Amino acid sequence: MSSGGVGGGSLGAGLPYHKFVSFALEETRLRTTLTPHPSQEKFKSIKPNDDNTVFNALSFSAPKIRLLRSLTIEKKNSYQVLDFAAFSEPEYDLPIFCANVFTTHAQSIVVLDLNPLYDTTVHKDYKDKYYRSIMPLVHKYNELLPWGGKITSESLKFFSPIVIWTIFESTEHNHHVLHSAFVDYYKVWLELMDQAIKENNKATIARNQEEQHKYLTWRAEKDPGYPLLKKLIGESRAEDLVMEFLFEGVNTLGTKSFLDYFPEYARDDGSVNKKRSMMGKSFETRPWDANGEFIGDAEAQ
């Protein structure tokens, strides 16, 4: 989930985010059969402490999709949140569809991406397999949704060369551009899903599962929206929502801990350093060139 400041007054003109979710579900159902995920029953009726805030949580699975889930939050005259993601079964090494938006009356903070299962700066074959042919996507939106400013390399390893990371004024035009980008990116993800061939090699499947678990472990620990969730539904329910809904699988796909994957975050007492951006170079501009080659080492601040 993405977070940002909360402003008073009415929201900027734009599409309510449940329309993004409705589009994605309708488009998915044209290609596969969605079945309610077990997590949906537990979280679909979650009620915030604030009567002016509405939660809507949905989750599904399908033959190639381990988890497709969405969370929308709307606080009247204040903010809207979209947190939408799709994870493939470990028999496939598909990128993870990710759409995180936080909108106030003044601005929207957006991350839209096909998050790579394998780090594209290390695994060039994976980058070529999934991103080489879809680079025109980012070219289409590069100027409409410009790079949002400084971001650290610790977050960058979970982004792809086509990531949209942007902050824009909450206007009707900008929100329609965002909707267009969401539609384009999700259709591409569905195309990749359609084309995906089931892996039979047990070692490869296990590696895919571990990479997805590593991603979930990072996201669950680093979720910037957790403080907002804790405020809205309390600490215990917020932790359940993060671990059993938003990043479901973190407790079942593997047994490694955050520090097993990321030992550089260990404090002397064995706890996790909670600083969100504690290490790594930072990037003021897009650190990939037009062909998706990483040029961040030259661009880093």
Side-chain angles (χ1 to χ4, degrees), residues 12-301:
L15 294 170
Y17 292 129
H18 66 80
K19 292 190 176 181
F20 287 52
V21 176
S22 295
F23 160 79
L25 295 180
E26 290 168 11
E27 198 71 17
T28 308
R29 287 189 175 108
L30 294 175
R31 299 166 182 261
T32 190
T33 302
L34 289 177
T35 305
H37 190 276
S39 62
Q40 179 169 281
E41 189 61 34
K42 179 174 181 178
F43 294 101
K44 70 178 181 181
S45 301
I46 196 164
K47 295 287 189 293
N49 303 326
D50 180 351
D51 290 340
N52 291 321
T53 305
V54 178
F55 268 60
N56 191 10
L58 297 170
S59 59
F60 302 90
S61 57
K64 292 183 180 181
I65 303 173
R66 187 187 68 80
L67 174 66
L68 185 154
R69 55 80 176 154
S70 71
L71 175 67
T72 58
I73 305 173
E74 184 170 0
K75 180 169 177 141
K76 189 176 180 181
N77 296 328
S78 188
Y79 60 81
Q80 289 187 73
V81 172
L82 170 68
D83 191 335
F84 185 96
F87 305 87
S88 67
E89 292 284 5
E91 286 81 8
Y92 307 91
D93 64 357
L94 285 170
I96 297 158
F97 183 86
C98 164
N100 298 117
V101 190
F102 187 98
T103 296
T104 70
H105 72 295
Q107 68 177 18
S108 291
I109 304 170
V110 178
V111 173
L112 178 63
D113 194 19
L114 275 59
N115 291 155
L117 192 64
Y118 293 90
D119 186 343
T120 58
T121 62
V122 177
H123 300 274
K124 188 176 184 299
D125 55 339
Y126 186 85
K127 185 194 74 176
D128 290 345
K129 177 180 179 180
Y130 284 116
Y131 300 103
R132 175 184 286 180
S133 65
I134 61 174
M135 285 308 296
L137 264 184
V138 78
H139 304 156
K140 179 178 178 179
Y141 292 104
N142 227 352
E143 293 186 14
L144 294 168
L145 298 170
W147 190 254
K150 187 174 288 189
I151 194 166
T152 59
S153 57
E154 62 178 3
S155 299
L156 210 65
K157 60 177 169 277
F158 294 104
F159 289 164
S160 82
I162 66 162
V163 64
I164 293 175
W165 145 241
T166 191
I167 301 173
F168 58 71
E169 184 182 357
S170 293
T171 65
E172 184 173 0
H173 170 74
N174 286 339
H175 281 282
H176 279 284
V177 171
L178 176 61
H179 182 260
S180 174
F182 180 91
V183 166
D184 285 349
Y185 273 55
Y186 193 64
K187 283 184 174 180
V188 164
W189 188 84
L190 288 176
E191 285 291 330
L192 294 176
M193 181 199 72
D194 278 350
Q195 297 163 13
I197 298 171
K198 189 174 183 178
E199 177 62 61
N200 293 312
N201 183 283
K202 290 184 178 180
T204 303
I205 295 169
R207 191 160 60 246
N208 291 344
Q209 181 164 315
E210 179 166 290
E211 288 300 313
Q212 190 174 138
H213 185 252
K214 180 180 180 180
Y215 173 94
L216 292 166
T217 301
W218 171 270
R219 292 292 309 276
E221 177 66 36
K222 292 286 185 174
D223 182 19
Y226 179 73
L228 175 63
L229 291 175
K230 188 164 72 169
K231 179 180 177 182
L232 289 174
I233 59 176
E235 185 170 4
S236 177
R237 287 197 299 166
E239 186 169 329
D240 285 348
L241 188 68
V242 168
M243 303 294 283
E244 298 175 23
F245 182 83
L246 293 178
F247 307 111
E248 191 278 328
V250 73
N251 292 327
T252 57
L253 290 186
T255 57
K256 288 186 178 181
S257 70
F258 181 85
L259 291 179
D260 288 332
Y261 287 124
F262 310 103
E264 63 272 24
Y265 285 85
R267 298 168 67 101
D268 291 341
D269 62 1
S271 62
V272 176
N273 190 324
K274 296 291 185 180
K275 289 184 180 178
R276 287 200 53 230
S277 300
M278 61 169 272
M279 59 181 56
K281 302 168 183 176
S282 59
F283 304 91
E284 294 276 7
T285 58
R286 176 173 288 278
W288 294 276
D289 68 14
N291 297 315
E293 296 296 326
F294 186 71
I295 54 172
D297 290 337
E299 300 291 330
Q301 302 297 308

